[in-house]
Amino acid sequence: QPLASVAHLQLDEAAPVLSGLSTPIVVAKVNAEKYKKLRSKYGVDGFPTLMLFDHGVPTEYTGSRKAGQLVESLRKLVAPDVSVLKSDAAIKSFVQEAGVGFPLFIGFGVDESSIAEYGARYKKKAWFSTAKDFSEDLMAVYDFDKIPALVSLNPKYNEQSVFYGPFEGTFLEDFIRQSLLPMTVPINAETVKMLKDDDRKVVLAVLQDDSDETSMRLIKILRSAANANHDLVFGYVGVNQWEEFTEPFHDSKSSQLPKLVVWDKDEKYEVVEGLEKLEEGDHGSQISRFLEAYRAGRTIKKTFGRRFPTLLGVNALYILLLLVAVLVVLMFFSGQGEEDRQPTRAHQE
């Protein structure tokens, strides 16, 4: 019930904002215990459940329940798959209104039909637009010098990149899919879920603390490596930030940090013998040698032997915690029953 109460409060906070959008979104609440036929009709089996009805078609909303992110996600879902921008002012307004929660793609001089398919396919993950009329000043702002150009913006990570084509085959979609992630991915609960949709392996830097100065310099070097190796994802995680996640990669008693591994996002990873530990000095050269050895197959493959508990789906994790809680309660009351009976027997003796 506390979880449901929090969700209701967040929904109450988001409701007036959603109803005030240029394309209003109406929020309604249903007591599913009272209206059981309605609950059964839409397959609701847990609470709270958020259902979206787009022209009468229901889908379950599984994104963030926090008011701000809820508004941003739903506002994006009711927007056009691809917005057509016809002036500098329209482009600036589009970028500002999109916020920082999702990547943006602006096709300068790109035909709408070229990206319509991807605008629909990745609607839940990014904003898409085409710009038909724009000034040279705006070209300078977004750092491109010819058209057609597809500019990718990731405001959350302050990253920007440009794709000049070709706009056929898999090249365009590869660029879009790769741009959904930051150039170097900070590993956390949110990004781990995002990585599941990417089929590339992860070059993972395990650090002691990803916020100290040495780590920040290393992350910049990783960004340069990522820019030259688009077939791999480059990520980093600090032991201080997420110790549980780093444990399978890092033996705190014998392993030294920082270190590099190539992770398959499941139970397996690879190390390059003699190169997994990054020594002080030229990290750029060490990373280059690591990548060269990995591509040449000079690696040792390892298996965790157990799956990360943190890689379970959020819903599955909640269910697991609920089962544990139920077992604890049952054991408690069972113990209480034993205690209630035990003194009686002792007294009779």
Side-chain angles (χ1 to χ4, degrees):
Q1 289 303 317
L3 180 61
S5 299
V6 171
H8 282 306
L9 290 173
Q10 294 293 325
L11 197 59
D12 290 342
E13 183 180 338
V17 181
L18 292 169
S19 64
L21 297 175
S22 55
T23 302
I25 299 175
V26 177
V27 176
K29 294 181 182 179
V30 176
N31 185 338
E33 289 294 341
K34 182 177 180 181
Y35 298 98
K36 294 183 179 180
K37 288 185 178 179
L38 199 62
R39 168 185 173 179
S40 177
K41 179 180 179 180
Y42 295 110
V44 175
D45 56 6
F47 306 107
T49 294
L50 295 181
M51 301 291 293
L52 304 179
F53 291 84
D54 186 4
H55 296 90
V57 180
T59 56
E60 184 175 352
Y61 173 79
T62 57
S64 172
R65 304 293 179 90
K66 293 183 179 179
Q69 295 178 5
L70 180 63
V71 169
E72 195 166 330
S73 296
L74 296 184
R75 185 162 55 84
K76 181 163 60 62
L77 291 177
V78 299
D81 293 346
V82 180
S83 299
V84 179
L85 313 174
K86 298 182 178 181
S87 67
D88 284 13
I91 295 168
K92 292 176 182 177
S93 177
F94 173 79
V95 173
Q96 183 176 1
E97 291 180 5
V100 300
F102 299 92
L104 297 81
F105 296 92
I106 308 174
F108 290 91
V110 176
D111 190 276
E112 183 182 350
S113 62
S114 298
I115 60 173
E117 174 187 352
Y118 307 113
R121 184 179 303 171
Y122 297 106
K123 186 180 182 70
K124 294 182 180 180
K125 299 181 179 181
W127 296 88
F128 288 83
S129 67
T130 59
K132 293 187 175 296
D133 296 296
F134 47 88
S135 67
E136 291 185 0
D137 290 341
L138 214 59
M139 293 177 67
V141 168
Y142 292 112
D143 197 25
F144 66 97
D145 56 10
K146 61 181 180 179
I147 58 172
L150 181 63
V151 174
S152 165
L153 305 174
N154 199 329
K156 186 174 182 178
Y157 298 99
N158 195 30
E159 291 183 354
Q160 177 175 315
S161 56
V162 182
F163 177 75
Y164 290 112
F167 288 85
E168 300 83 21
T170 62
F171 299 102
L172 176 58
E173 185 169 14
D174 285 346
F175 172 77
I176 291 171
R177 290 176 62 248
Q178 292 168 10
S179 299
L180 294 174
L181 292 169
M183 193 72 73
T184 49
V185 182
I187 300 298
N188 53 48
E190 178 187 356
T191 57
V192 161
K193 289 188 289 184
M194 293 170 63
L195 284 171
K196 290 182 179 180
D197 297 327
D198 195 299
D199 57 6
R200 294 173 293 171
K201 291 186 177 182
V202 181
V203 177
L204 181 65
V206 183
L207 315 168
Q208 185 62 50
D209 189 323
D210 65 21
S211 63
D212 64 32
E213 290 186 12
T214 301
S215 295
M216 295 299 288
R217 288 195 296 269
L218 175 56
I219 292 167
K220 287 184 179 180
I221 298 171
L222 283 175
R223 186 174 290 113
S224 297
N227 197 39
N229 296 271
H230 293 290
D231 59 326
L232 295 166
V233 175
F234 286 73
Y236 61 92
V237 61
V239 174
N240 292 356
Q241 281 71 29
W242 199 358
E243 184 176 5
E244 181 187 12
F245 181 91
T246 63
E247 283 176 355
F249 303 108
H250 167 60
D251 181 354
S252 59
K253 296 180 180 180
S254 61
S255 180
Q256 294 181 312
L257 300 177
K259 68 182 296 184
L260 288 178
V261 301
V262 179
W263 175 43
D264 74 346
K265 297 175 296 183
D266 197 7
E267 299 178 338
K268 298 178 181 179
Y269 67 100
E270 298 175 57
V271 298
V272 175
E273 189 172 11
L275 290 175
E276 62 179 78
K277 167 70 171 69
L278 293 176
E279 305 291 345
E280 292 185 10
D282 187 354
H283 284 162
S285 296
Q286 293 178 66
I287 292 173
S288 294
R289 292 198 302 273
F290 178 92
L291 292 172
E292 181 181 351
Y294 165 71
R295 295 191 184 283
R298 299 195 299 272
T299 63
I300 301 171
K301 297 182 179 181
K302 299 189 176 185
T303 303
F304 300 146
R306 63 178 179 85
R307 189 180 299 273
F308 283 141
T310 47
L311 296 185
L312 289 171
V314 173
N315 290 337
L317 187 57
Y318 282 151
I319 292 171
L320 180 61
L321 291 173
L322 178 61
L323 289 175
V324 171
V326 169
L327 287 173
V328 169
V329 171
L330 289 174
M331 291 173 65
F332 172 78
F333 282 110
S334 176
Q336 287 290 97
E338 291 294 329
E339 291 179 4
D340 290 342
R341 293 190 296 271
Q342 185 66 30
T344 302
R345 292 196 298 270
H347 180 72
Q348 290 174 348
E349 292 176 357

